[in-house]
Structures are given as structure tokens and as C-alpha cells.
Amino acid sequence: MKLSLAILSIAATASAFTSINTPARTVSRSVATSDVFAPVSVRASGSQLEAAKQTPHGGALVDLILKSDEEKAAAIAATTKALQLSPRQLCDVELLMNGAFSPLDGFMDEATYQHVVDNVELPSGLIFGLPVVFDTDDEDLQPGDKVLLKDGDRDIATIEFTDKFLPNKAYECLKCYGTSEIEHPGSLMVATERGKYYMGGKITGLNLPVRDFPCKTPAEVRETLPDDVDVVAFQCRNPVHRAHYELFTRALDDPLIGENGVVLVHPTCGPTQADDIPGVVRYKTYEVLKEETKNDRTRWEYLPYSMHMAGPREAIQHMMIRKNFGCTHFIIGRDMAGSKSSVTGEDYYGAYDAQDFAKEKGPELGVMPVPSLNLVYTDEEGYVTADEAKEKNLSEKKLSGTKFRQMLRGGEDIPEWFAFKSVVKVLRENN
């Protein structure tokens, strides 16, 4: 039944899920200037870094942002058209400009796109989780065009297009998301939000977007991190509740983490699946929690990233991005970046698929995955691992996400073992 529904859905969106894949008209840029990959160097202990900080992906941190007003004016003057960026495109352009997508210096051309889709790596052999593409329905845009990219009245970047092609979107989704079913939020996004064509192009940065939540560049975040200890990244796209907090603070005690390691809580605040809490509201919950739980070993920053809900391959994308921000380790939760069918409610990925893929690719990527603890709350001992609760026959307390949302809307008291009062207050004020 699930398959037949998906086939009907794809047939209904045939213009979005075209199977045509025409050759690129122009392929003139190189994604990386070298094949050199410097993995994390470790001491005999197997955890603490020898080098000062994590090596950027590909060896050098990309910075595409022009520094002088004269350079920016000249770049704008060379353009012949202007385009407004969608929220997802704006996130991608920002991460290209600031080096979070290092070693990329622009949107992928057809050859690079196809190689990433098929192999989870760039043509150079450097691992890369998901394609980064510029989509459009504009028939008039052509390779060679120099275009000004805008967010409202703000000039963000210029792009010089190198090629234009019709992607096989169904194949892309099957390879990247594990399914081309329209019930998957990533497949739905590709089918209904993205334009007919993809275009490769070199980005020149002008101005970072102005957001309600501040997003430091990788270089700026690196400046705030200690030089000689492990940095563990924690990715989330929802408000942080008690179990999440226990998870990332206890991760610092993992044997994989060296002495005096710190955790970088690095939530995504860009577009995600339709029923998630808006990014601005999520940011407000993080800010109140940051103040309430202030700790020298916990750092908070924000990432303007557009979620795909791609499970294992998105886990690799997140690890790669956090590597560019200076992280040496990455906490992989159960069913990370997972998603359910909007029709049947079935999970698209197994609970440990992302962890297993991260363990397989981590050594090559140069980031060590740290599997998250499976924590439960008990009357007797608070938060413990599920195995410990079972071994000691402790009384577990459970509260589903659905029940939590019902209690939130109904004005009921939320137990403090489940959620921080400060976070609940923000959610209610912005409901």
C-alpha cells in the first residue's frame, strides 16, 4: 500500500520528478584545489589532539566573502540580473560563503552533483554527504550569466553560472534519502519546492544575511574554542529538553573524549520539516537555556542549515560541517535526522542506521562519532541508561512527544524531569 501511494504521488508530480538527465553545457570549475585530506591526528591515548585544532575539510577553510566596499561594488556592477533567494537557498549560500561547506567554492556542477549522489564523495575522493545545488525554473538563465543574489533588499552574493542541467530527482532522492516516496519530507521538498533545473556556479560573497538568531562563521567559532582539547558537537533541530541536556553533558565523560573536552551545542535554525517548531522560536528556547545552564565546558552557537531529514547521509553532512567549525567529535543520536512517512507513520531509517554509517565513514572524514546514551528517567535515580534501569528494575517515567504537545497547548503542568521550565515558558509564549 505504501509503495502504491508513493507511485501515485510521484506520477502526480511528474514535472518535478523528471527522469531526464541532460549533459551539462559547461563544466569549468574545480570543487577542490587538491586531493589532500588531513585526518585528525591523535596521541597515543587515542583521543586528545596533537594539532592545535581540527583541520578543515579538504585542508583549508574557504572564505568567499569580499572585504572591501570597492570589491563588492565591482562584483555587483559585473552582474546583469538579480534573483531573490528562497529560505533554503539563503542557508546554502551563507554556508558556501563562510566556509561551512569547505572545500566547495560554489554550487555543484552536474559532474560533481552526480558523483556526490552516487558515491557520497566529491570527484577528488573527499567525502561529502549530500549535494549542494542551486535550483531554478527560470528558462532564461544560462551558463555564463553573472547574477546578483538577494535576500529582500540586502545584497548577499553574486554567482557566475557554469552549467545548467535537468536532474533525475527521483534517482537523487532514492540515493540520498533511501527512498523516492513523496511521503518522505526530503523527497517532498525536492519534488515540490525545488525548481526544474539545477545550475552550477562560483559564489562571490558580499554580505551575510541578517537573521533573528546570530550565526557565527566557522572562523569566528574556531576563535572561541580551546586550542588543545577535544570539541564534541551536538546537533539538534528541536528545543533541548532534560534528556537532551543529560545526553550532551554526559558525553564529555565518554572514554572517547580527552580530558577537559568541551561540547559545542550547535542547533540548526533554518528550514526543516513542516511540523517542526519555527527556527526563531527554537533559538529563543536555546538562549534561555544557555543562561540557565551556563557552564565553561558547554558552548552554544547557531547554524543556518536547511534540514533534509536524510538520516545516515545527513549525519555525514552534519559531521563534515562541524569539522569545519573546529569539532573533533560528533554525538550521533538514535535515528539522527530520521523521518517518518506522512501517510503510514513508519520510520524510514533504523534507530542505529546513522550511527553505523557514521562509524564506517568517521575515520575517513576525520571526525569521531560518539554514540549517544539511551537515557530514561526513573523515580529512584533520575536519568540512567535504559540498560541500567532494566538491570536494577527501576521505575521508568515516560512522556511522549505527542502527549507533551497536548499538555503544552492545554496549559497543563509539564513535569520538570521532562522539560526545563524556562523552555516551556518560551514555547507557550510563542505558541
Side-chain angles (χ1 to χ4, degrees), residues 88-89 92-93 96 101 104 106-110 112-114 117 130-136 159 165 167 169 172 189-190 194-195 197-201 308:
R88 287 185 183 271
Q89 288 174 334
D92 286 343
V93 170
L96 286 167
F101 280 148
L104 297 187
F107 286 99
M108 294 178 178
D109 57 35
E110 185 177 22
T112 304
Y113 157 81
Q114 200 63 55
V117 168
L130 294 167
V132 180
V133 297
F134 186 91
D135 65 288
T136 182
I159 183 168
F165 57 98
K169 291 186 176 182
E172 174 191 338
M189 178 272 291
V190 171
R194 281 189 182 167
Y197 301 103
Y198 291 171
M199 299 188 73
H308 294 248

Side-chain angles (χ1 to χ4, degrees), residues 31 67 91 99 132 183 204 212-213 243 282 324 339 368 371 374:
V31 178
K67 307 308 177 193
C91 287
V132 180
E183 306 138 54
T204 299
D212 292 319
F213 46 92
R282 299 199 304 270
N324 284 325
S339 56
M368 183 162 304
N374 184 15

Side-chain angles (χ1 to χ4, degrees), residues 40-82:
V40 175
S41 179
V42 295
R43 294 179 184 160
S45 65
S47 61
Q48 196 78 6
L49 291 182
E50 283 182 349
K53 287 183 180 176
Q54 171 67 284
T55 305
H57 200 43
L61 196 62
V62 170
D63 181 359
L64 304 178
I65 304 173
L66 298 178
K67 307 308 177 193
S68 72
D69 290 341
E70 292 76 16
E71 289 176 309
K72 293 178 183 180
I76 293 171
T79 62
T80 57
K81 302 176 183 178

Side-chain angles (χ1 to χ4, degrees), residues 265-328:
V265 185
H266 204 202
T268 56
C269 293
T272 179
Q273 59 185 4
D275 58 350
D276 279 352
I277 293 168
V280 173
V281 178
R282 299 199 304 270
Y283 162 67
K284 291 178 181 177
T285 67
Y286 302 139
E287 283 294 288
V288 296
L289 190 56
K290 179 174 72 172
E291 289 304 312
E292 183 177 340
T293 63
K294 188 172 289 187
N295 185 318
D296 287 343
R297 297 187 69 190
T298 305
R299 316 297 175 90
W300 296 74
E301 301 294 348
Y302 304 104
L303 184 72
Y305 176 84
S306 169
M307 289 291 295
H308 294 248
M309 312 310 298
R313 287 191 60 157
E314 189 146 39
I316 299 302
Q317 195 83 337
H318 282 298
M319 291 171 69
M320 179 202 74
I321 291 170
R322 279 17 179 261
K323 177 183 180 181
N324 284 325
F325 277 88
C327 298
T328 58

Side-chain angles (χ1 to χ4, degrees), residues 2 88 130 173-174 176-189 237-238 272-276 307-315 318 333-354:
K2 185 175 180 180
R88 287 185 183 271
L130 294 167
C173 291
L174 185 62
C176 293
Y177 307 145
T179 179
S180 57
E181 292 175 349
I182 211 76
E183 306 138 54
H184 185 288
S187 297
L188 182 64
M189 178 272 291
R237 71 174 207 281
N238 290 309
T272 179
Q273 59 185 4
D275 58 350
D276 279 352
M307 289 291 295
H308 294 248
M309 312 310 298
R313 287 191 60 157
E314 189 146 39
H318 282 298
R334 295 176 76 251
D335 194 27
M336 180 181 175
S339 56
K340 299 177 183 293
S341 165
S342 59
V343 176
T344 67
E346 294 178 16
D347 290 316
Y348 276 107
Y349 313 110
Y352 299 102
D353 285 357

Side-chain angles (χ1 to χ4, degrees), residues 94 166 220 249 335:
E94 182 170 358
L166 281 167
E220 290 170 338
T249 53
D335 194 27

Side-chain angles (χ1 to χ4, degrees), residues 29-45:
R29 52 173 285 269
S30 171
V31 178
T33 56
S34 79
D35 294 344
V36 176
F37 171 58
V40 175
S41 179
V42 295
R43 294 179 184 160
S45 65

